[in-house]
Amino acid sequence: MMILPEFELARPRSVDEAIGVARAATDGFDYLGGGTDLLCNYKWGLNTNPTVISLRHIGELQRMADGSVGGGVTLAAIEKDADFLHDFPVFRRTLDRLASPLIRQTGTLAGNILVDTRCIWLNQSLFARKALGKCLKADGPECRVVKGSIDRCYANYSGDMAPVFMVLGGTMRLAGPDGERTLLLRDFFALDGIRRNVKQKEEIIVSLDLPSDAKTLRASYQKFRVREAWDFPELAVAASARMDGDRIEELSLVANAVASIPLWMDEIAAKYRGETLSDATIDAIAEDMRKAAKPVKATLLPPGYRKAMVGVMTARALREIRGDVVTEKQSGEAA
Ligand SMILES: Cc1cc2nc3c(=O)[nH]c(=O)nc-3n(C[C@H](O)[C@H](O)[C@H](O)COP(=O)(O)OP(=O)(O)OC[C@H]3O[C@@H](n4cnc5c(N)ncnc54)[C@H](O)[C@@H]3O)c2cc1C
Ligand code: SF4
């Protein structure tokens, strides 16, 4: 049985108070949302800290209105918000296939954006890790997936909400010891499975915000997972477009769960703005996405298969945006 290690639990009532507790915790701390990711890692003995600061009692993080979602809002609350889903229907299917109903009941939006990178070498019990050998991300000298890497971890980013917020032009509001700042979510991530993003340790995600013109985008999130009941993505593609008839006016693409961060594919998207969204264009974009994705063996499925499926999922996303009826298959055939 895996049991939680001992820690001090703080329950601040405001963002400022939480940041104060964090600054005083000189031996190390973690913020806690719903705990569905953090506490699993604690049970595995992965990078634990002596102080845990729960953000559940901070009202400011629970607000949701007009495309702004507080960091502490649960995934289930987003799923039940008819106005939000009406304005941004892509989240309906994204949420429906994210973890399980029970986890969505507890898991929060900020916790989902910050879900730790995953790796088949690391996300194991201590017993298994001792047998396999420790790695760079937890007390070891080098990466086991990319042999010889002593300064970069290649664990997989597996959050489902970030890529969708990215293609809709979402921004993130952070509060920290030096005040507040806002940045585009696409600029938030940093390509290393340990560092993961540009957030300072004490900073709190206050909200994620969508611009009002995001309502006029067509968007799709296509996720490939091993178990249909619930599972992290083995790979996924998020896409959004603003169409002028059948011509692509704006296009955004993210390849998800094939690297340590959701990959913002701006060069590929820029190449096809102004083109007609024909079968030939869809095939060309899908092929560019396939070529650009370079997954490593950090998840269950072989990297070559996941790379090929990035192309399939891109085509599926673009067909959905075009208005085709897209069927979901678990095979490698194009839809
Ligand atoms: C069986 C299982 C299946 C899962 N499947 C999926 C899946 O399919 N897709 C998916 O995306 N996820 C999945 N998850 C991961 C996880 O449950 C979700 O990502 C969830 O949304 C995490 O939210 P949380 O509030 O529980 O995060 P927590 O575990 O509380 O925190 C996660 C991280 O975020 C930090 N944090 C939390 N809130 C804030 C804040 N406001 N400001 C700053 N830091 C903060 C914490 O310090 C921690 O580092 C799964 C988990 C399990 C156990
Ligand atoms: S990618 Fe390498 S360093 Fe990162 S968790 Fe896996 S084995 Fe460890």
Side-chain angles (χ1 to χ4, degrees):
M1 188 174 65
M2 294 191 295
I3 51 170
L4 276 174
E6 284 197 11
F7 53 77
E8 286 290 325
L9 180 65
R11 295 185 182 88
R13 298 271 160 183
S14 69
V15 167
D16 284 349
E17 190 188 339
I19 293 168
V21 178
R23 295 188 80 179
T26 47
D27 289 337
F29 75 93
D30 280 301
Y31 289 127
L32 181 74
T36 59
D37 187 49
L38 187 82
L39 297 183
C40 290
N41 289 340
Y42 269 42
K43 285 183 180 176
W44 275 331
L46 286 172
N47 302 322
T48 60
N49 277 306
T51 301
V52 172
I53 306 167
S54 170
L55 304 176
R56 295 303 291 248
H57 310 282
I58 301 178
E60 192 183 347
L61 305 184
Q62 311 294 336
R63 293 182 194 143
M64 186 165 174
D66 300 329
S68 174
V69 187
V73 173
T74 64
L75 300 172
I78 303 174
E79 217 177 352
K80 284 182 201 132
D81 192 310
D83 292 341
F84 185 79
L85 295 183
H86 173 267
D87 288 344
F88 310 105
V90 60
F91 285 106
R92 196 182 301 273
R93 247 183 76 179
T94 306
L95 284 159
D96 186 45
R97 295 180 306 147
L98 192 163
S100 66
L102 194 61
I103 291 169
R104 296 198 296 272
Q105 203 64 37
T106 318
T108 62
L109 176 61
N112 187 268
I113 301 293
L114 293 175
V115 70
D116 203 355
T117 51
R118 299 177 62 79
C119 173
I120 43 174
W121 283 93
L122 185 80
N123 294 95
Q124 308 275 356
S125 65
L126 186 57
F127 179 76
R129 290 205 315 279
K130 275 184 181 159
L132 292 168
K134 292 183 176 175
C135 76
L136 186 65
K137 192 171 174 190
D139 309 322
E142 70 169 318
C143 176
R144 314 282 306 215
V145 169
V146 177
K147 292 268 162 48
S149 175
I150 53 164
D151 54 8
R152 180 171 156 197
C153 160
Y154 291 80
N156 212 41
Y157 181 79
S158 311
D160 282 313
M161 294 294 270
V164 182
F165 270 94
M166 284 165 75
V167 296
L168 293 178
T171 55
M172 172 186 279
R173 192 151 69 92
L174 289 159
D178 303 324
E180 281 205 4
R181 62 178 175 136
T182 300
L183 71 170
L184 275 167
L185 190 57
R186 75 181 70 135
D187 297 331
F188 177 65
F189 295 97
L191 198 56
D192 170 34
I194 297 171
R195 171 138 177 71
R196 301 186 288 143
N197 55 59
V198 298
K199 190 177 91 62
Q200 290 161 25
K201 182 76 181 164
E202 293 92 353
E203 279 183 312
I204 290 174
I205 298 180
V206 178
S207 64
L208 272 95
D209 303 280
L210 291 167
S212 56
D213 67 354
K215 290 177 197 168
T216 57
L217 291 169
R218 292 193 208 163
S220 173
Y221 184 61
Q222 297 291 328
K223 167 174 173 175
F224 190 84
R225 55 197 170 159
V226 174
R227 284 167 295 197
E228 280 298 294
W230 58 261
D231 223 336
F232 287 94
E234 278 282 334
L235 66 109
V237 170
S240 80
R242 180 165 288 109
M243 302 297 294
D244 178 9
D246 58 0
R247 205 179 58 86
I248 305 167
E249 204 173 271
E250 268 180 49
L251 179 66
S252 300
L253 297 162
V254 170
N256 194 33
V258 283
S260 298
I261 59 172
L263 295 172
W264 177 245
M265 300 297 206
D266 200 31
E267 277 185 25
I268 298 175
K271 195 170 145 189
Y272 293 97
R273 281 176 204 136
E275 299 276 328
T276 302
L277 192 56
S278 61
D279 285 350
T281 307
I282 289 176
D283 290 348
I285 299 173
E287 178 59 7
D288 282 357
M289 288 283 280
R290 186 195 67 78
K291 281 189 191 149
K294 297 182 172 60
V296 295
K297 185 70 187 121
T299 70
L300 281 175
L301 297 179
Y305 180 67
R306 289 165 62 219
K307 184 177 172 73
M309 286 302 287
V310 168
V312 175
M313 290 299 166
T314 303
R316 221 172 262 184
L318 293 171
R319 288 200 180 105
E320 187 177 319
I321 283 172
R322 192 169 64 176
D324 298 6
V325 176
V326 174
T327 55
E328 201 170 305
K329 295 181 192 170
Q330 277 289 41
S331 72
E333 306 156 29

